[in-house]
């Protein structure tokens, strides 16, 4: 599933295509994308709108429109965007929506598993929608070590599950949680509220470093993810633990192990990640 670095990569590549452009035609062919709202109603509402800005919160892409409304796009498991000159998009059985722009570009949304969502929200609804779902952004300057410590305080959940909870910290998923915990030398099963001051400081640095590395390498391409420009991400070559069961730890040598925490596969080094 695309996480913060993947969605941020999508944002950076699609923003120059969408920003300042006016949507001249919109087609949404999958009712699951917009339900419970009829796809034609959303498509009609988009036509004539000019895109002011493409923003991101957590794993949500926020397409801010001149009318004040925002198209909130969540890629979920396998959603992706692609752009091409008008009429030049490749044939694709998994295309769920297409936007035509007055700049001579087409933007396609494809989704194999069909869990992705498009929601068109009024200005009054956006803030409560996001604040009900998302904690702070981990890469902004105000996300300090002290802030992470406050969020973890009293939490009995394993630190792995704590990191995955979007209402605590926005944008972290399975890959970057495992990579951050390896970097911080913390066992994923440790209760978040029992981490010491030094461990929290290490986790704060590690989480930001892992996410920044992901953004720098344009995300990780596993199965379906590809960037709007059609190129794969490169982060998957840099994994220290994620998906590396049985391979040697890059730091201390023994085989990486896999366990299940909160229903999610979790990879860690049994020696250098303190339990
Ligand atoms: Zn190790």
């Amino acid at each position: 599933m695309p996480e913060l670095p993947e969605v941020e990569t999508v944002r950076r590549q699609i923003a120059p295509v969408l920003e300042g452009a006016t949507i001249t035609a919109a087609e949404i062919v999958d009712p699951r994308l917009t339900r419970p709202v009829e796809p034609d109603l959303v498509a009609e509402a988009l036509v004539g709108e000019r895109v002011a800005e493409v923003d991101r919160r957590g794993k949500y892409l926020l397409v801010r429109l001149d009318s004040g409304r925002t198209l909130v796009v969540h890629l979920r498991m396998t959603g992706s965007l692609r752009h091409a000159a008008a009429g030049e998009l490749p044939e694709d059985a998994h295309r769920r929506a297409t936007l035509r722009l007055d700049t001579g570009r087409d933007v396609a949304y494809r989704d194999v598993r069909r869990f992705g969502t498009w929601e068109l929200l009024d200005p009054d609804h956006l803030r409560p929608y996001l604040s009900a779902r998302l904690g702070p952004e981990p890469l902004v300057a105000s996300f300090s070590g002290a802030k992470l410590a406050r969020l973890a305080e009293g939490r009995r959940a394993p630190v792995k599950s704590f990191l995955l909870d979007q209402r605590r910290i926005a944008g972290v998923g399975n890959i970057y949680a495992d990579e951050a915990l390896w970097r911080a030398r913390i066992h994923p099963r440790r209760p978040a509220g029992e981490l010491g001051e030094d461990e929290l400081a290490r986790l704060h640095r590690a989480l930001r470093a892992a996410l920044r590395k992901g953004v720098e390498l344009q995300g990780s391409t596993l199965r379906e993810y590809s960037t709007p420009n059609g190129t794969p991400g490169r982060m998957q070559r840099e994994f220290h633990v994620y998906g590396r069961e049985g391979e040697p730890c890059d730091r201390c040598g023994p085989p990486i192990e896999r366990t299940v925490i909160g229903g999610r596969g979790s990879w860690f080094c049994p020696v250098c990640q303190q339990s």
Side-chain angles (χ1 to χ4, degrees):
M1 180 200 265
E3 306 180 25
L4 186 157
E6 288 74 30
V7 181
E8 177 60 18
T9 300
V10 171
R11 189 196 69 77
R12 289 180 182 190
Q13 290 192 8
I14 209 69
V17 176
L18 285 173
E19 286 177 358
T22 297
I23 299 164
T24 56
E27 188 185 26
I28 301 173
V29 294
D30 184 358
R32 275 180 63 164
L33 194 57
T34 58
R35 74 180 177 193
V37 182
E38 284 294 318
D40 288 351
L41 288 179
V42 176
E44 275 169 36
L46 288 172
V47 173
E49 282 276 18
R50 181 178 164 276
V51 177
E53 192 184 10
V54 183
D55 210 346
R56 179 191 58 74
R57 265 290 272 134
K59 303 176 194 172
Y60 292 91
L61 211 54
L62 307 178
V63 183
R64 298 186 194 274
L65 305 166
D66 267 0
S67 66
R69 289 183 295 194
T70 300
L71 179 65
V72 179
V73 176
H74 200 304
L75 305 170
R76 299 284 168 197
M77 300 279 286
T78 55
S80 64
L81 291 168
R82 190 71 188 269
H83 67 91
E88 300 288 313
L89 285 167
E91 284 292 309
D92 184 358
H94 300 294
R95 185 170 307 151
R96 309 296 174 197
T98 315
L99 301 178
R100 176 148 291 183
L101 306 174
D102 67 342
T103 52
R105 305 295 292 176
D106 284 348
V107 173
Y109 175 79
R110 101 186 284 263
D111 197 341
V112 175
R113 301 281 303 274
R114 303 171 66 211
F115 291 116
T117 53
W118 282 24
E119 288 174 273
L120 191 55
L121 297 186
D122 289 331
D124 294 350
H125 291 138
L126 183 65
R127 189 181 285 266
Y129 180 94
L130 295 175
S131 61
R133 290 165 175 79
L134 299 174
E137 287 290 317
L139 288 183
V140 299
S142 60
F143 188 81
S144 60
K147 189 161 206 166
L148 177 64
R150 274 199 303 279
L151 290 166
E153 203 178 313
R155 297 278 145 211
R156 276 184 239 142
V159 61
K160 169 69 185 279
S161 307
F162 164 76
L163 290 174
L164 293 183
D165 185 346
Q166 301 301 297
R167 292 164 303 173
R168 306 281 161 227
I169 304 169
V172 183
N174 218 23
I175 292 174
Y176 296 92
D178 281 2
E179 293 296 313
L181 289 167
W182 180 86
R183 283 170 181 257
R185 307 195 307 277
I186 295 170
H187 194 284
R189 219 179 273 285
R190 294 277 305 283
E194 290 179 15
L195 297 176
E197 211 173 303
D198 287 356
E199 290 173 312
L200 284 163
R202 290 206 304 269
L203 181 58
H204 176 253
R205 276 195 304 274
L207 180 61
R208 286 158 64 104
L211 292 169
R212 284 208 184 98
K213 186 83 183 169
V215 172
E216 179 194 323
L217 296 177
Q218 303 190 325
S220 14
T221 292
L222 307 164
R223 301 176 292 273
E224 292 299 330
Y225 168 80
S226 73
T227 70
N229 296 345
T231 54
R234 304 189 307 279
M235 180 65 188
Q236 66 281 1
R237 302 177 197 160
E238 303 285 328
F239 290 163
H240 294 291
V241 284
Y242 184 83
R244 292 191 62 229
E245 187 178 5
E247 293 176 40
C249 173
D250 292 337
R251 188 162 43 217
C252 73
I256 297 300
E257 292 183 6
R258 180 184 185 278
T259 185
V260 176
I261 299 172
R264 307 297 300 277
S266 300
W267 289 266
F268 64 100
C269 172
V271 175
C272 67
Q273 289 181 252
Q274 299 155 11
S275 54

